[in-house]
């Protein structure tokens, strides 16, 4: 399996420049060393033969390769036929690293046990990891080609801030397309089951929990669902639902003046006392105390 580039956002990756290169038969991608920026190659036609630090890649139509900024890359063979490829330079301004294996879903998530699904401070920016395949067959190659073409069409207007901003937005779409190719390749049946269960629980969080109703809704046995959610999210369906309800309650505590009893009912708790004890156990303070942290009383 190809290496995976993992980076932490924010900050988001930053687009530098791009273009479309055509090569005749025998043409080669230039050899360079430590250029200081990532180089994305997306082949639209033909084949490129590019190596990096002793590892050789055959990049055919609909495939993409990311060359690292800290390595030596080179062409080890000329194109057999006419070829055309998009190139794009970008920079990661935050932390990044190269890993050999795509983490399981549970390892890609923030530690919900200690922080909940939301940050303790609802206005704090919570970092997250993004994973990009260094070499991949694109899941949506035509959409990638169209996005790169639109991005390149703005190169003549980069003296305008609006064009630069549009290029950055298009580049984020390219990052998402690359990430989607990696996820599609590594999405296991257990992950798919757990994701379906999570979507159902979030849509029906106000309703009483029923393992059998959940199983019927997503067409999996409740025991299998519980196993999948534990492997992916590190908790049972009921625990996942409880944490989601608490996070919805946190939003209502900040956005409304409703009494705690009404909020408990709104997020699916039958008893306000159970809501308060659950909230206190997970957040470390009672609902009223949580609200007071963000209240301003006019004196």
């Amino acid at each position: 399996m190809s290496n995976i580039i993992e980076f932490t956002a924010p900050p988001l990756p930053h687009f530098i420049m791009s273009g479309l290169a055509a090569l005749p038969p025998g043409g080669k991608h230039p050899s360079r060393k430590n250029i200081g920026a990532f180089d994305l190659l997306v082949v639209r036609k033909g084949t490129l033969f590019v190596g990096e630090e002793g590892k050789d890649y055959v990049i055919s139509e609909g495939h993409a390769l990311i060359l690292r900024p800290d390595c030596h890359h080179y062409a080890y063979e000329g194109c057999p036929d006419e070829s055309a490829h998009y190139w794009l330079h970008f920079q990661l301004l935050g932390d990044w690293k190269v890993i050999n294996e795509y983490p399981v879903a549970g390892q890609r998530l923030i530690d919900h046990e200690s922080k909940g699904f939301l940050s303790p401070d609802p206005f704090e920016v919570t970092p997250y990891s993004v994973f990009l395949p260094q070499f991949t067959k694109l899941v949506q190659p035509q959409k990638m080609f169209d996005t790169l073409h639109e991005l390149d069409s703005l190169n003549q207007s980069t003296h305008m801030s609006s064009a630069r901003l549009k290029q950055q937005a298009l580049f984020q779409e390219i990052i998402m397309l690359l990430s989607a190719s990696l996820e599609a390749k590594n999405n296991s049946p257990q992950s798919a089951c757990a994701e379906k269960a999570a979507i159902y629980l979030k849509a029906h969080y106000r309703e009483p929990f029923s393992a059998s109703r959940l199983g019927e809704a997503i067409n999996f046995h409740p025991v299998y669902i519980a196993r999948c959610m534990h492997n992916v999210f590190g908790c049972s369906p009921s625990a996942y639902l409880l944490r989601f309800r608490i996070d919805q309650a946190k939003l209502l505590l900040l956005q409304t003046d409703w009494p705690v009893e009404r909020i408990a009912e709104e997020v699916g708790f039958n008893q306000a006392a159970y809501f308060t004890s659950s909230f206190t156990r997970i957040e470390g303070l009672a609902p009223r105390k949580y609200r007071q942290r963000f209240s301003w009383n006019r004196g």
Side-chain angles (χ1 to χ4, degrees):
M1 179 177 177
S2 175
N3 287 337
I4 295 167
I5 297 171
E6 176 186 358
F7 67 88
T8 302
L12 290 170
H14 186 78
F15 168 77
I16 300 175
M17 65 180 72
S18 67
L20 177 64
L23 293 176
K28 296 181 178 181
H29 185 270
S31 297
R32 291 174 294 201
K33 183 177 182 180
N34 299 332
I35 65 172
F38 289 89
D39 188 4
L40 169 65
L41 305 178
V42 179
V43 174
R44 179 158 192 162
K45 174 185 176 182
T47 307
L48 288 180
F49 300 90
V50 178
E52 181 182 80
E53 299 293 336
K55 187 170 184 178
D56 295 340
Y57 299 92
V58 179
I59 322 169
S60 55
E61 181 178 336
H63 287 68
L65 173 68
I66 300 175
L67 298 169
R68 291 167 47 180
D70 57 343
C71 293
H72 172 217
H73 59 258
Y74 48 87
Y76 63 90
E77 190 175 322
C79 302
D81 303 299
E82 290 185 358
S83 70
H85 68 275
Y86 290 100
W87 57 268
L88 186 154
H89 291 163
F90 68 95
Q91 190 58 271
L92 296 177
L93 304 178
D95 295 334
W96 66 274
K97 61 182 177 180
V98 177
I99 58 178
N100 297 321
E101 187 175 348
Y102 191 53
V104 298
Q107 295 173 330
R108 301 197 300 270
L109 301 171
I110 293 171
D111 183 3
H112 299 316
E113 189 67 38
S114 61
K115 301 186 87 171
F117 287 359
L118 298 177
S119 167
D121 181 349
F123 307 112
E124 177 185 346
V125 177
T126 304
Y128 56 93
S129 291
V130 180
F131 301 87
L132 302 179
Q134 186 168 10
F135 177 65
T136 188
K137 180 179 181 181
L138 297 167
V139 174
Q140 302 181 68
Q142 189 57 52
K143 186 172 182 180
M144 176 67 86
F145 298 154
D146 293 344
T147 305
L148 283 163
H149 175 75
E150 186 178 359
L151 188 151
D152 289 347
S153 70
L154 295 168
N155 282 338
Q156 304 304 315
S157 305
T158 53
H159 59 285
M160 300 170 58
S161 297
S162 58
R164 297 294 299 271
L165 183 61
K166 181 67 180 296
Q167 283 188 317
Q168 294 299 331
L170 291 168
F171 174 56
Q172 302 310 320
E173 290 188 32
I174 291 168
I175 291 295
M176 289 190 290
L177 288 169
L178 289 169
S179 181
S181 295
L182 181 61
E183 290 181 357
K185 185 185 298 183
N186 290 277
N187 195 21
S188 69
Q190 282 199 353
S191 294
C193 173
E195 291 291 341
K196 287 183 179 180
I199 291 170
Y200 176 87
L201 291 171
K202 288 180 178 179
H204 300 270
Y205 72 93
R206 294 185 177 92
E207 303 171 9
F209 173 71
S210 168
S212 59
R213 191 182 302 121
L214 171 61
E216 292 172 1
I218 67 172
N219 201 30
F220 287 105
H221 193 279
V223 174
Y224 179 70
I225 295 173
R227 186 186 312 127
C228 292
M229 292 204 73
H230 186 272
N231 290 339
V232 172
F233 295 110
C235 63
S236 66
S238 59
Y240 185 95
L241 176 61
L242 175 63
R243 294 171 183 173
F244 185 76
R245 284 172 169 170
I246 294 298
D247 281 338
Q248 300 310 300
K250 289 163 65 177
L251 294 175
L252 292 176
L253 285 166
L254 297 178
Q255 296 171 353
T256 73
D257 293 323
W258 294 348
V260 169
E261 292 75 14
R262 179 178 177 183
I263 291 176
E265 183 178 353
E266 285 288 330
V267 299
F269 287 86
N270 293 328
Q271 298 179 355
Y274 177 56
F275 164 68
T276 298
S277 64
S278 298
F279 191 101
T280 303
R281 175 171 55 83
I282 291 175
E283 293 300 321
L285 71 170
R288 287 185 176 85
K289 292 290 186 181
Y290 180 86
R291 173 179 271 168
Q292 289 172 4
R293 286 177 56 197
F294 304 99
S295 298
W296 176 61
N297 295 319
R298 298 179 183 177

